[in-house]
Amino acid sequence: MAEHTKHRTPRRRGLRIALFALAGLVLVGAGLGGIAYWKLNRNIHGVDISGQLGTARPPASTGGAFNVLVLGSDSRSGTNGSLAGGDTGDTARSDTAMVVHVNQAHTAASVVSIPRDTLVPRPACTGDDGKQVAAARSAMFNSAYEVGGPACAVRTAEQLTGMRMDHFVEVDFTGFAALIDAIGGVDVTTTVPIDDKDSGLRLDAGTHHLGGQQALAFVRTRHGVGDGSDLGRIELQKEMVRAMLGQVGALGLGSNPVAMWQLGDKLTSSLTTDSDLASVNSLVGMAQTVKKIGPDQLTMVTLPVAYSVSDPNRVVPSNPEAQQLWAALRADRAVPPQVLQQQPANPAQADPSAPASAGAGASAGAAAGASAEPSADALADAFEGAE
């Protein structure tokens, strides 16, 4: 039922898409000439959110620990529309959200995925256009980015976790697909067939080599495998990052300057960051800081959630486990064992001979006041409106 998330092989090392990008920049930055360096710097899109955030924030760490909010945008603008389809009404939401906590000694990191439909208090924000966004007592986490841009997403994450987000990194659909193509595609293995008409992904059980568009479909798939929940999709995203890191390690970039340049160009072009991080120097500096974090020092988990009593189509942080998780990270401690024990299984790595079970429902648990643990079908329904 539970899947231990502290991975033991080099292919399973990673801090999701953002720190994968940073690790690549370590390799790229060391040998760049002046023109190449200038080009990569211009690729990175920086957003100044400091003024929008103000001073009413959790205190900054003084011991060396830091936190990064990683966002995967579902924007359909530009080439994103042809890749992802659908319509968000000329807006974008944080389709994927992760809080990355690096400890004070820079020897371990924890990555917490926040399901996008999690209902949380959303604080008042200043939007990208300078207009004020009213606070909401209960709103989906991904709506913060939609109504107020990166600054509102950061403020909402800080209120949820009680931790200052020192940086944010964003990657959209086009950037992700370009990253996959730049590294020559990735290999993924599934023990069950996947057929998702919404993402367009169709895979037989076995090992497959995926290009950018197929990899994007893989990380967006939920209806075609497992119980159909967004929690299962998060596990597929973790599997994809492990595959990406394994492929990058096999490229031999140190002895291939052409491949190094091509990857660096795609990496920097795919990123939107806060203005303090929007340079090759800053990105390489952060990557150097975390380069000693290996597979046995990385923990990837999903925020424990339960059904919302007020809205059965949404989830809420499941307490006390969610509170214990954030408290541990604020104190620079490891993810608590009780949180690790509640993690959903990877739906692509299920035992095909085993009977269907609640799977991710075991992680979601029953909401406060509910009489029974939710079923897999109910969990799928809970996320039905989230595409």
Side-chain angles (χ1 to χ4, degrees), residues 22 74 116 174 177:
L22 301 183
D74 70 354
R116 60 187 186 177
T174 301

Side-chain angles (χ1 to χ4, degrees), residues 13 50 86 106 152 199 217 322 366 369 379:
R13 181 175 65 185
S50 298
H106 305 152
C152 196
S199 72
L379 186 58

Side-chain angles (χ1 to χ4, degrees), residues 292-334:
K292 294 182 180 179
I293 298 175
D296 291 330
Q297 294 81 44
L298 178 69
T299 304
M300 301 175 73
V301 297
T302 300
L303 177 69
V305 293
Y307 287 127
S308 168
V309 174
S310 62
D311 185 349
N313 293 321
R314 300 290 178 255
V315 294
V316 295
S318 179
N319 292 315
E321 291 82 10
Q323 292 178 340
Q324 292 168 343
L325 171 61
W326 299 130
L329 297 188
R330 286 195 299 269
D332 205 35
R333 298 195 305 266

